Amino acid sequence: MTKQGDGTVRKLLYEAANSILTRSRETFALKTWAMNIAKGHGLKEARVALARRLAVIMHALLGSGPIKLLAAAWLS
């Protein structure tokens, strides 16, 4: 993640990634992927990588179909 854009959104994405890695007891694909990164690069880099992945997923959701219409209605 870069330091461009809304700082609050970056902070929330980082917190979400931190929660997934440290608070979630369930195992799922995103957590497993991030934990593999943590093994090789450390937990901080894994949090940033997971935050970026979450941002990409949210961007894809907001850019498609009915969710895009809902987001446009909500933001206007």
Side-chain angles (χ1 to χ4, degrees):
M1 285 179 42
T2 65
K3 292 184 179 179
Q4 291 184 328
D6 188 6
T8 305
V9 174
R10 285 195 316 272
K11 180 181 177 183
L12 291 173
L13 285 167
Y14 188 84
E15 288 296 324
N18 186 44
S19 294
I20 288 172
L21 290 175
T22 59
R23 304 283 183 203
S24 175
R25 294 181 184 185
E26 298 177 23
T27 302
F28 47 94
L30 276 176
K31 183 175 181 179
T32 304
W33 173 80
M35 291 305 286
N36 286 335
I37 291 174
K39 287 178 188 173
H41 298 281
L43 195 55
K44 187 173 181 179
E45 273 197 46
R47 285 184 193 122
V48 172
L50 183 55
R52 184 181 186 286
R53 180 66 58 100
L54 291 172
V56 168
I57 290 169
M58 289 184 353
H59 184 268
L61 287 172
L62 289 173
S64 64
I67 295 176
K68 183 177 181 179
L69 295 174
L70 287 172
W74 183 65
L75 292 173
S76 62

